[in-house]
Amino acid sequence: AAGVIQSPRHLIKEKRETATLKCYPIPRHDTVYWYQQGPGQDPQFLISFYEKMQSDKGSIPDRFSAQQFSDYHSELNMSSLELGDSALYFCASSLGLGRGSYNEQFFGPGTRLTVL
Amino acid sequence: KNQVEQSPQSLIILEGKNCTLQCNYTVSPFSNLRWYKQDTGRGPVSLTIMTFSENTKSNGRYTATLDADTKQSSLHITASQLSDSASYICVVTTSGTYKYIFGTGTRLKVLA
């Protein structure tokens, strides 16, 4: 079965550079979520999109922006990168905002961002 | 404040042994509780899901329990294997907003 695809899997950037992470949800999933997971920490919710519109916002820094495109893939744009942005960035997808008692989010493998 | 706490923080066991991981939550309103397995550097993969009315759910060697009254859950791993070495994350979903509230995870290491 098709899963959530994230690219790139690894990314190394210098401070103050920009980075773009991409997420391709499971086919027919219309909701995408972005999470940031620092070393030894639980995932922190950044932002989510449903039908190409922002559906919820978490602890996403102002330096970051994201959008969902007509084919439902999403991109997380990160500017003025800081050392503290080094983390594993997960994308998850679900169907219909994950409504219902089994509102499951399916996670991608993550993109490991290292800022030097 | 919605919180999910897990214990122990880390655990080392020998291959073939059983272990039990704990999850306590203060999440309201409650929708469901999931246990995820996360291999190092990979995305979390769902093991079990339980709603309010379910108190036991099994998935192979993994058995999860839920006590909605005390707001506690456990994940029991039977006859552990080296491949069970991973972080196990308890995630509680709120009803209405469907937010995922993540626990801090238990890092399990299975030794040969």
Side-chain angles (χ1 to χ4, degrees):
Chain A
V4 177
I5 298 172
Q6 290 188 245
S7 68
R9 293 294 311 279
H10 302 273
L11 189 59
I12 299 175
K13 290 286 185 177
E14 301 269 345
K15 278 173 53 178
R16 292 180 287 279
E17 285 191 322
T18 61
T20 298
L21 309 185
K22 296 184 179 182
C23 169
Y24 298 86
I26 291 172
R28 293 189 299 279
H29 280 192
D30 50 19
T31 309
V32 170
Y33 312 78
W34 285 98
Y35 294 87
Q36 177 191 58
Q37 186 177 30
Q41 298 179 1
D42 52 301
Q44 296 295 313
F45 171 69
L46 295 178
I47 195 167
S48 64
F49 292 88
Y50 167 65
E51 284 291 345
K52 293 153 281 185
M53 293 177 61
Q54 180 180 309
S55 56
D56 198 3
K57 190 174 181 180
S59 53
I60 184 169
D62 292 339
R63 298 177 290 106
F64 294 4
S65 66
Q67 58 181 321
Q68 185 180 33
F69 295 85
S70 57
D71 63 351
Y72 296 106
H73 93 273
S74 178
E75 294 183 0
L76 178 65
N77 299 293
M78 311 160 72
S79 62
S80 301
L81 287 169
E82 302 173 356
L83 296 179
D85 295 329
S86 295
L88 201 52
Y89 289 84
F90 290 109
C91 169
S93 74
S94 71
L95 186 60
L97 274 173
R99 290 199 170 105
S101 40
Y102 291 93
N103 50 319
E104 183 161 7
Q105 296 180 25
F106 295 83
F107 287 83
T111 293
R112 180 168 296 283
L113 172 66
T114 302
V115 181
L116 302 176
Chain B
K1 181 183 177 184
N2 288 329
Q3 280 189 315
V4 178
E5 295 182 347
Q6 292 185 239
S7 63
Q9 190 174 26
S10 61
L11 183 63
I12 300 175
I13 61 174
L14 293 176
E15 187 179 16
K17 298 296 185 181
N18 303 336
C19 66
T20 300
L21 315 180
Q22 300 290 341
C23 172
N24 298 333
Y25 62 93
T26 55
V27 176
S28 181
F30 174 90
S31 175
N32 56 60
L33 184 147
R34 286 188 171 84
W35 283 93
Y36 279 90
K37 177 186 179 186
Q38 184 179 18
D39 293 311
T40 302
R42 305 299 300 270
V45 175
S46 180
L47 295 175
T48 64
I49 176 175
M50 287 179 293
T51 59
F52 187 88
S53 58
E54 298 171 298
N55 53 29
T56 301
K57 187 72 71 79
S58 290
N59 177 4
R61 294 180 297 102
Y62 301 103
T63 299
T65 66
L66 173 65
D67 186 333
D69 292 330
T70 62
K71 297 188 177 181
Q72 296 180 326
S73 176
S74 66
L75 180 69
H76 186 75
I77 303 175
T78 304
S80 61
Q81 300 176 358
L82 297 178
S83 59
D84 292 333
S85 296
S87 288
Y88 291 83
I89 305 174
C90 175
V91 180
V92 179
T93 304
T94 60
S95 65
T97 58
Y98 308 101
K99 281 185 181 292
Y100 266 35
I101 311 297
F102 286 83
T104 50
T106 293
R107 188 178 298 275
L108 174 66
K109 180 72 173 176
V110 180
L111 300 178

